[in-house]
């Protein structure tokens, strides 16, 4: 009998679940407490798995336990198994009630406050019992969440190529980035402005590693200018918009953020063309991963919302 047949007959999903809990907890005692069971029961599950595979899955030490290379390989496969089971459960739930379910979307804070919120608004009006989980963060955080199957897909900005064969990228639209000010800012009355005139103004920008921060720095660098005087550094687009409303600050935001509801009438675009300020946005999914019907439904609506943006010139 081949090992795969042997494992298929003997391995229990509960034992695999216990192994995952032990590794995450760092010890069998902690895992037993989390699973509301006894430590001997945990030990039996691990021992049964090790007998089934014929290899040692955990290294024991005074500080707790850590997975061996065999254990890590099994955990990687287990994450896929449990994810597929969750997706299957979602499929069954959707078949029994096609107007309910939940979807987990990874996106940047700016996209969460603009494009993604617009898609949620559109979809929730038609399917009010769908639950939307918006998981926000930077690029590395989002791709890690997708790799670990903690989100169904990403709505993300793209720089260069995604250097990983595990992902599919479907482009939706290109967003332009614009210099903005509050309606009460004196600069909004000017018909022509050179970027050099704004170097000494008070700016509210994203951190250098963010999209907004990177675009700002590149724009000034491309014009041969020194970096602007950044007064506030924040990832939060809503914080930047609140500061703009005071009339004292300038910022750089994606044009789509000013388009989606609620429309930002208190924010004005200044007449400045930024170099290299168009950023593609798209849907990122994992290859060989089945999406739930609700996730597919969200993606369909995202394509519809993106259509006018793909045609629009900002």
């Amino acid at each position: 009998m081949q090992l795969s047949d042997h494992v298929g007959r003997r391995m229990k999903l509960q034992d695999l679940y216990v192994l995952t809990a032990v590794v995450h907890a760092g010890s069998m005692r902690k895992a037993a407490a989390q699973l509301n069971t006894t430590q001997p029961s945990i030990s039996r599950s691990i021992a049964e798995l090790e007998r089934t595979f014929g290899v040692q899955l955990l290294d024991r030490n005074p500080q707790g336990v850590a997975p061996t290379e065999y254990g890590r390989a099994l955990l990687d496969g287990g994450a896929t198994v449990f994810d597929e089971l969750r997706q299957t459960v979602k499929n069954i739930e959707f078949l029994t009630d096609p107007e309910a379910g939940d979807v987990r979307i990874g996106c940047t804070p700016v996209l969460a406050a603009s494009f993604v919120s617009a898609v949620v608004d559109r979809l929730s009006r038609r399917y009010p019992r769908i639950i939307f989980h918006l998981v926000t963060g930077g690029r590395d955080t989002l791709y890690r969440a997708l790799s670990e199957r903690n989100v169904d897909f990403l709505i993300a900005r793209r720089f260069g190529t995604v250097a990983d064969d595990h992902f599919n990228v479907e482009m939706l639209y290109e967003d332009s980035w614009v210099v903005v000010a509050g309606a009460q800012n004196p600069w909004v009355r000017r018909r022509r402005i050179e970027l050099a005139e704004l170097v000494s103004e008070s700016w509210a920008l994203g951190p250098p590693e963010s999209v907004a921060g990177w675009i700002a720095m590149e724009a000034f660098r491309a014009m041969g200018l020194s970096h602007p005087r950044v007064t506030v550094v924040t990832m939060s687009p809503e914080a930047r918009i609140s500061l703009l409303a005071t009339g004292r600050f300038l910022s750089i935001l994606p044009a789509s953020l000013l388009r989606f509801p609620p429309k930002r009438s208190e924010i004005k675009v200044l007449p400045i063309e930024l170099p290299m300020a168009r950023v593609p946005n798209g849907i990122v999914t994992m290859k060989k991963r089945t999406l739930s019907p609700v996730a597919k439904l969200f993606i369909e609506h995202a394509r519809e919302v993106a259509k006018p943006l793909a045609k629009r010139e900002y």
Side-chain angles (χ1 to χ4, degrees):
M1 182 184 293
Q2 293 184 349
L3 178 61
S4 58
D5 296 329
H6 175 70
V7 169
R9 291 171 181 270
R10 294 192 56 181
M11 191 182 76
K12 299 177 183 177
L13 282 178
Q14 176 62 22
D15 293 340
L16 186 56
Y17 182 74
V18 168
L19 174 66
T20 303
V22 169
V23 171
H24 285 169
S27 76
M28 294 189 184
R29 179 181 58 80
K30 291 179 181 178
Q34 291 176 3
L35 298 178
N36 195 27
T37 188
T38 63
Q39 188 167 336
S41 176
I42 296 290
S43 298
R44 282 194 297 272
S45 290
I46 301 301
E48 182 61 30
L49 278 176
E50 292 182 329
R51 280 195 297 271
T52 299
F53 285 93
V55 295
Q56 184 176 332
L57 300 174
L58 296 174
D59 285 327
R60 284 78 167 173
N61 57 63
Q63 288 73 41
V65 297
T68 64
E69 60 177 333
Y70 307 111
R72 284 192 294 271
L74 183 55
L75 287 171
D76 290 342
T80 301
V81 168
F82 287 124
D83 179 65
E84 290 295 334
L85 281 174
R86 283 193 296 269
Q87 298 298 343
T88 300
V89 171
K90 288 181 181 180
N91 291 349
I92 294 172
E93 289 175 343
F94 188 82
L95 290 171
T96 58
D97 188 356
E99 296 189 357
D102 67 276
V103 58
R104 300 182 66 84
I105 308 116
C107 52
T108 63
V110 170
L111 280 168
S114 54
F115 178 78
V116 174
S117 290
V119 180
V120 169
D121 179 60
R122 174 182 174 134
L123 189 54
S124 63
R125 290 177 185 274
R126 186 171 178 182
Y127 302 98
R129 288 186 290 126
I130 290 179
I131 300 173
F132 304 87
H133 304 269
L134 304 188
V135 179
T136 61
R139 174 187 170 90
D140 292 343
T141 299
L142 293 177
Y143 275 89
R144 184 166 56 252
L146 182 59
S147 297
E148 295 175 355
R149 300 171 183 259
N150 294 325
V151 295
D152 295 315
F153 56 88
L154 306 181
I155 303 291
R157 307 191 189 282
R158 179 178 176 184
F159 282 93
T161 58
V162 180
D164 197 313
D165 293 336
H166 294 106
F167 302 118
N168 286 315
V169 180
E170 175 188 342
M171 301 317 300
L172 291 171
Y173 66 97
E174 279 193 333
D175 208 352
S176 61
W177 285 64
V178 292
V179 179
V180 290
Q184 304 305 314
N185 193 297
W187 286 105
V188 303
R189 296 191 288 271
R190 292 274 298 271
R191 294 186 178 181
R192 291 190 61 183
I193 303 173
E194 298 294 333
L195 192 58
E197 298 179 77
L198 305 179
V199 171
S200 298
E201 292 294 312
S202 295
W203 288 82
L205 296 173
E209 67 273 13
S210 71
V211 178
W214 181 85
I215 285 178
M217 297 305 110
E218 287 299 309
F220 280 87
R221 187 180 296 116
M223 299 296 291
L225 302 171
S226 60
H227 293 173
R229 184 166 67 89
V230 182
T231 305
V232 180
V233 179
T234 175
M235 282 289 291
S236 169
E238 296 301 336
R240 278 178 268 158
I241 288 171
S242 294
L243 291 168
L244 291 172
T246 68
R248 297 178 49 236
F249 293 87
L250 302 179
S251 190
I252 293 178
L253 295 172
S256 62
L257 184 61
L258 310 180
R259 172 182 172 85
F260 290 112
K263 291 190 175 180
R264 317 277 186 174
S265 59
E266 76 279 15
I267 305 301
K268 303 298 181 183
V269 178
L270 298 184
I272 300 173
E273 185 173 343
L274 295 177
M276 303 178 297
R278 296 189 71 85
V279 178
N281 303 295
I283 302 163
V284 184
T285 56
M286 283 192 69
K287 293 180 179 180
K288 299 180 181 179
R289 184 187 184 189
T290 303
L291 292 176
S292 71
V294 178
K296 293 178 181 177
L297 194 61
F298 188 98
I299 290 174
E300 289 173 9
H301 281 254
R303 294 180 182 127
E304 290 300 313
V305 173
K307 281 182 180 178
L309 294 174
K311 299 174 183 178
R312 184 183 178 94
E313 291 292 333
Y314 291 100

